[in-house]
Amino acid sequence: MTKKILLGVGVTFLALIAVLVVRTLNYGGVPDTVQQVELSEPPAISADTAAQHLSEAIQFRTITLSSGDPRPGQEGPWLELQSWLEATYPAFHAAASKETVPGGYTVLYTWEGSDPALDPLLLMAHQDVVPVNIGTEGDWTGAPFAGEIVDGYIYGRGAMDDKGSLVAIMEGLDALARDGFEPQRTIIVQLGHDEEVSGSGAEAGIALLKGRGVSPVMALDEGFMVVQDNPVTGGTLGLIGVAEKGYVTVQITVTAEGGHSSAPPRDSATVRLSRALIALDENQMEADLSASPTSDMMQVVAGEMGFVQRMALANQWLLGGMVESGFAASPQGNAMIRTTTAPTMLSGSAKENVLAQRATAIVNFRVHPNNTVEDILDHIGEVTSDIEGIEYAPVAGGIGSEASGVSATDNRAYGVLHAVATEVGGGAPVTPALVIGATDARYASAITDSVYRFAPSIVGPADLAGFHGTNERLSVENMGHLSRSYAQIVLAMDKPDAGE
């Protein structure tokens, strides 16, 4: 009897091993549903000229600090930048019409196509930049608003975020116009004016297009790139943003009796608030690794992993906890798989010897596509249900949005971007991914289901460190990649999509 039991256990164990191995060997790679697209050769574009133009664009100080910027009387840099675009790209400006979106300085260009039956292509970028921290100007290799080119890099605020893309879009379109290209599909370019503070310009521009019944075949904005030494595989990986997280800030307030600090109670408002924040930190919102785009990413990168890691990805029915722990081990990885919780501001008593009657925390949540804002409020209620005197609600008048939808990866739009990313990355794997920050692209979801976030460039950790920081830079080579790729995207998308 014992021998039979042991034999049965052994057979079961061997069968389990066989299942794990077979699933591992058959797992990974680019899904068959990704369309194969052959890219056309675009007109010749000089990377050096594009880099010089980016250098000039950086010198316009289109800095936004808060919602409502630029204030009346402070719009000079935006108007100067737009005049510079007209002077620098005359062929495109002759081919396209230009309008300013009411209520700000967001610009819409429309290059009419010959076939009105084809849905237009929407290319997006933004004109504004974040400020440079006072006192850090001397830490830059090239002065932050001089656009200096040093050792093959253009330095300056906005080089990567997002004037590099803005200038490169213009380079590509102007080259096409000079070459005599006449689009079948209408091309729309939207240049938002305040993405870094609210994106109200992009929102208004999209609303204007929606009112006209415009439904793009694709909307393309900033987001991801091809990343070297990436934290997922350690190698080079092309990342195409097919969704982005939502954003909501919640104010949590705890009330209690105040009084003198010489005789404090054991459960003051400040202590209760602390308990609430600890409860939120220790009870993170659940992850769902089976949902797109995380599941799609895991399939693509599996082929770049060692056998044990690949086995875990292929057999999450058994090893899902290991996979989740691996993602959650880093802040970036954790942000890709769940809604994140970030307490950022605290307030309480006005004086050190006075007990707070109201203790308040501001908590910022980045909403995963698996969740809604309502889910977050329910979660707060669940984990703080035992805390007396607690109230919570989204900050009145604050920036807020649900997570975007997840765009398809089986259409021509994604196939074109996949082909471009593969070329820029020298054949490196390319995967759909979730953008964990906020972009103007979130507004485009109101007029199309095909919204993507990708700037066709290849960057490493040193480049990424400059985002919103010191030594923001973009290589001259990447200005060539970007300009050439945007032209290729226009040419590739000028063909009718399936069903059009």
Side-chain angles (χ1 to χ4, degrees):
M1 184 67 177
T2 302
K3 289 182 179 180
K4 289 183 178 181
I5 293 174
L6 291 175
L7 180 61
V9 170
V11 169
T12 301
F13 179 74
L14 290 175
L16 175 61
I17 295 298
V19 169
L20 293 176
V21 171
V22 169
R23 288 176 61 91
T24 301
L25 295 176
N26 290 325
Y27 185 76
V30 178
D32 295 337
T33 54
V34 175
Q35 293 187 23
Q36 300 300 306
V37 176
E38 186 174 344
L39 298 172
S40 300
E41 187 66 21
I45 300 174
S46 168
D48 290 330
T49 301
Q52 181 58 44
H53 287 158
L54 174 58
S55 168
E56 294 169 13
I58 286 170
Q59 297 173 48
F60 299 103
R61 300 189 179 215
T62 50
I63 302 167
T64 48
L65 293 169
S66 59
S67 181
D69 283 346
R71 310 288 172 177
Q74 299 176 348
E75 68 278 2
W78 279 260
L79 299 179
E80 292 167 5
L81 172 61
Q82 291 170 22
S83 295
W84 175 85
L85 289 172
E86 291 186 28
T88 306
Y89 303 106
F92 171 65
H93 280 79
S97 63
K98 173 189 172 184
E99 61 183 311
T100 301
V101 176
Y105 301 94
T106 291
V107 175
L108 279 174
Y109 292 98
T110 303
W111 189 354
E112 291 289 351
S114 61
D115 188 349
L118 297 179
D119 290 330
L121 170 66
L122 174 61
L123 302 177
M124 302 173 66
H126 63 87
Q127 306 165 61
D128 64 319
V129 301
V130 297
V132 174
N133 288 328
I134 296 173
T136 66
E137 296 87 350
D139 298 332
W140 287 66
T141 299
F145 289 102
E148 296 179 61
I149 301 176
V150 182
D151 296 331
Y153 285 89
I154 311 102
Y155 284 84
R157 179 61 81 226
M160 291 186 75
D161 186 17
D162 180 40
K163 287 181 178 175
S165 290
L166 186 157
V167 169
I169 289 171
M170 290 294 172
E171 293 285 331
L173 292 174
D174 200 66
L176 288 169
R178 292 195 312 270
D179 197 53
F181 172 67
E182 297 181 354
Q184 298 180 70
R185 186 187 300 278
T186 294
I187 302 163
I188 300 173
V189 179
Q190 176 171 282
L191 305 180
H193 75 271
D194 63 348
E195 189 270 353
E196 297 293 0
V197 290
S198 67
S200 66
E203 184 177 22
I206 295 298
L208 187 63
L209 294 175
K210 184 176 182 180
R212 295 171 180 172
V214 173
S215 180
V217 66
M218 173 171 71
L220 177 62
D221 197 7
E222 63 174 336
F224 281 126
M225 316 83 139
V226 178
V227 181
Q228 298 170 319
D229 302 323
N230 73 87
V232 180
T233 67
T236 300
L237 182 65
L239 298 156
I240 298 173
V242 296
E244 71 178 64
K245 300 181 88 170
Y247 185 109
V248 65
T249 300
V250 177
Q251 178 174 303
I252 300 176
T253 302
V254 178
T255 56
E257 289 188 17
H260 201 285
S261 64
S262 61
R266 289 293 304 275
D267 196 27
S268 67
T270 306
V271 170
R272 293 177 190 173
L273 180 63
S274 300
R275 286 172 49 208
L277 297 180
I278 291 172
L280 287 170
D281 187 64
E282 292 182 346
N283 297 277
Q284 296 288 317
M285 296 195 69
E286 291 186 7
D288 182 1
L289 303 181
S290 66
S292 179
T294 305
S295 58
D296 299 328
M297 172 186 278
M298 289 189 292
Q299 180 177 346
V300 172
V301 303
E304 306 298 308
M305 301 289 195
F307 185 81
V308 173
Q309 292 170 302
R310 185 175 179 180
M311 182 171 65
L313 293 174
N315 296 278
Q316 292 183 50
W317 58 277
L318 181 65
L319 303 172
M322 180 187 301
V323 176
E324 181 177 339
S325 296
F327 273 97
S330 71
Q332 295 80 8
N334 188 56
M336 292 174 65
I337 64 172
R338 60 164 44 88
T339 293
T340 52
T341 306
T344 56
M345 301 172 69
L346 301 172
S347 62
S349 170
K351 196 170 186 293
E352 74 269 15
N353 62 349
V354 176
L355 295 172
Q357 292 175 280
R358 289 172 56 87
T360 301
I362 300 298
V363 185
N364 182 245
F365 294 87
R366 299 302 177 104
V367 189
H368 195 280
N370 296 344
N371 301 124
T372 65
V373 171
E374 192 63 34
D375 291 336
I376 293 170
L377 297 177
D378 290 343
H379 175 73
I380 295 172
E382 290 174 7
V383 302
T384 64
S385 60
D386 62 335
I387 298 174
E388 185 179 350
I390 190 168
E391 299 176 353
Y392 51 90
V395 173
I399 301 172
S401 64
E402 298 283 1
S404 75
V406 180
S407 297
T409 59
D410 60 355
N411 57 9
R412 183 171 182 81
Y414 183 83
V416 167
L417 297 179
H418 191 279
V420 167
T422 301
E423 181 176 290
V424 171
V430 177
T431 178
L434 173 65
V435 175
I436 61 177
T439 72
D440 277 344
R442 65 191 185 276
Y443 299 116
S445 298
I447 57 175
T448 177
D449 293 329
S450 296
V451 183
Y452 301 92
R453 302 150 183 89
F454 177 68
S457 52
I458 181 166
V459 300
D463 303 312
L464 294 171
F467 259 114
H468 288 205
T470 296
N471 276 337
E472 183 177 353
R473 68 183 192 177
L474 190 67
S475 71
V476 173
E477 181 183 23
N478 268 325
M479 278 309 296
H481 286 315
L482 285 161
S483 304
R484 170 185 169 86
S485 296
Y486 283 122
Q488 286 180 307
I489 291 166
V490 169
L491 291 171
M493 290 304 298
D494 203 48
K495 300 176 176 62
D497 195 10
E500 283 190 311

